[in-house]
Amino acid sequence: MKKILLVAMSLLMVLSCGNKGDNTVSGNKDSQASDGKQVYKIGVTQFMEHPSLNLTKQGFEDAFKEAGIKADFDEKNANGEVTNANLIATNYKADKKDLVFGIATPSAQALANNITDIPVLFSAVTDPASAKLLNPNVTGTSDKVENIAAQLDLLAKIKPGLKKIGVLYNPSEQNSTVQVQEIQKIAKEKNIEVVLQGISNFGELAQATKNLLGATDALYLPTDNLVVSGANLITSEAINAKKPVVASENSTVKLGALFTMGLDYYALGKRTGEMAIEILKGKPVSQIPFETSKQMKLYVNEKTAQALGLDVKNSMFNGAEFVSK
């Protein structure tokens, strides 16, 4: 009898312990909806508040709704502080989430650095390799697009005699420094001088913008979290100065930038959500490599174009989606 009890207990222990080695997910069995469906515990950490990251989160969560997957989303915002991002990550680890999702490079890094035993998804990350995110339990989507040359070519058509472009960025954001290096390289090939202006907090943004507008022919904004959070201020100053602003994604165009050949962050987040669902259904993270969006579209702010004296019916804007502030 004693042996039978020991065997039964051993079987129960084996059944209750999932294999963590391949980072598949079985779900928290004590969390179920009233209809009996599994409710997954998902941690969603966003580095800061701005339109692109908000769209990424919305797309991610909508993927679950459309697939009929029940999830309890524990949403947290680091408010632009790496310390907060790390605290959020350690709390998610302690709470034993089924899966966690980091939006923007610093939040994704905090998750990858602190969590190794559950799946980590990322999005709105420019260069996952240099950010050291590619751990066995980590995958997601990158917002890096090979569009800088095309963007500068269009800008040169819009602004004949283009000689200098100003680039606002936060030097402490790893994703931004990668983009700045690429902008400098391609601009040099086109004989365009790049004037850099680094900022470390929102309070520096207004003066930095005025400085650049006074010294350049146009502004080029990378997908920098701090810069994009101040897009309204930047684009307003640029319109007053009659200088075009080139953005790296469509949400900044909606806020007043002239144009972008950019990507849709909602679609990027949604694709990440689809990847997360595959993992929750049992597919190992190692079998889902990270993806880079190949979808690019020309977005033009019609009101900004008119304010700059540009004809939106010009052939250079063929195929564009026009948006207004």
Side-chain angles (χ1 to χ4, degrees):
M1 185 64 181
K2 194 171 182 179
K3 287 184 178 180
I4 293 172
L5 284 171
L6 286 171
V7 170
M9 287 174 68
S10 298
L11 282 170
L12 284 170
M13 288 177 69
V14 168
L15 290 171
S16 66
C17 296
N19 180 11
K20 300 291 183 181
D22 60 1
N23 292 293
T24 55
V25 179
S26 60
N28 290 288
K29 299 188 186 322
D30 59 349
S31 180
Q32 290 188 337
S34 56
D35 58 5
K37 284 188 177 181
Q38 176 67 49
V39 179
Y40 293 99
K41 292 169 62 178
I42 311 293
V44 178
T45 173
Q46 182 172 322
F47 189 58
M48 67 193 309
E49 191 79 13
H50 72 63
S52 298
L53 303 189
N54 295 344
L55 285 169
T56 304
K57 179 176 69 174
Q58 184 183 342
F60 180 82
E61 296 182 0
D62 282 356
F64 281 77
K65 292 175 187 175
E66 292 183 14
I69 304 296
K70 302 281 187 179
D72 177 13
F73 295 108
D74 182 1
E75 299 177 0
K76 295 287 188 296
N77 194 305
N79 296 314
E81 297 289 339
V82 173
T83 303
N84 291 342
N86 280 311
L87 180 61
I88 292 166
T90 55
N91 286 340
Y92 284 165
K93 179 178 176 67
D95 196 34
K96 298 182 179 178
K97 301 294 188 188
D98 291 308
L99 180 145
V100 291
F101 176 43
I103 307 173
T105 302
S107 285
Q109 286 175 318
L111 294 177
N113 291 339
N114 286 284
I115 298 173
T116 58
D117 57 346
I118 61 174
V120 173
L121 275 289
F122 63 79
S123 191
V125 171
T126 301
D127 190 345
S130 64
K132 296 181 172 30
L133 291 178
L134 303 182
N135 300 339
N137 66 313
V138 182
T139 191
T141 57
S142 166
D143 61 0
K144 184 177 183 180
V145 287
E146 305 296 336
N147 65 350
I148 295 172
Q151 299 248 77
L152 292 179
D153 287 342
L154 180 55
L155 178 60
K157 290 179 182 178
I158 292 169
K159 191 82 174 175
L162 177 72
K163 298 294 183 185
K164 294 182 181 181
I165 59 169
V167 179
L168 275 165
Y169 77 112
N170 181 359
S172 68
E173 287 195 28
Q174 184 272 340
N175 58 302
S176 300
T177 58
V178 169
Q179 292 175 79
V180 166
Q181 290 167 5
E182 190 72 9
I183 292 167
Q184 288 179 302
K185 176 186 173 185
I186 294 173
K188 185 177 180 180
E189 294 169 357
K190 298 180 180 296
N191 296 314
I192 298 171
E193 181 183 345
V194 176
V195 180
L196 299 180
Q197 180 68 63
I199 57 172
S200 58
N201 59 69
F202 192 84
E204 299 173 354
L205 189 60
Q207 190 59 53
T209 300
K210 289 178 181 178
N211 291 345
L212 275 186
L213 287 170
T216 62
D217 303 309
L219 300 186
Y220 193 117
L221 305 183
T223 54
D224 180 290
N225 293 299
L226 178 56
V227 170
V228 174
S229 70
N232 265 319
L233 184 154
I234 297 166
T235 58
S236 178
E237 291 286 348
I239 290 170
N240 289 338
K242 299 295 182 182
K243 303 281 181 75
V245 175
V246 182
S248 297
E249 36 69 47
N250 64 342
S251 67
T252 302
V253 175
K254 292 177 182 177
L255 293 174
L258 177 59
F259 78 88
T260 187
M261 292 176 177
L263 52 84
D264 185 335
Y265 275 81
Y266 176 84
L268 197 70
K270 194 169 185 180
R271 175 59 193 138
T272 316
E274 293 167 353
M275 296 166 80
I277 290 167
E278 289 184 66
I279 293 166
L280 291 171
K281 287 183 175 180
K283 192 169 184 177
V285 177
S286 59
Q287 293 182 19
I288 306 177
F290 87 87
E291 298 178 10
T292 299
S293 176
K294 299 300 181 185
Q295 300 178 20
M296 285 195 300
K297 186 173 184 177
L298 175 59
Y299 296 88
V300 177
N301 189 303
E302 190 169 5
K303 286 186 177 180
T304 299
Q306 291 169 349
L308 296 176
L310 299 172
D311 180 8
V312 295
K313 294 181 181 179
N314 191 295
S315 61
M316 72 178 88
F317 294 133
N318 283 348
E321 178 176 323
F322 290 99
V323 298
S324 294
K325 199 170 180 179

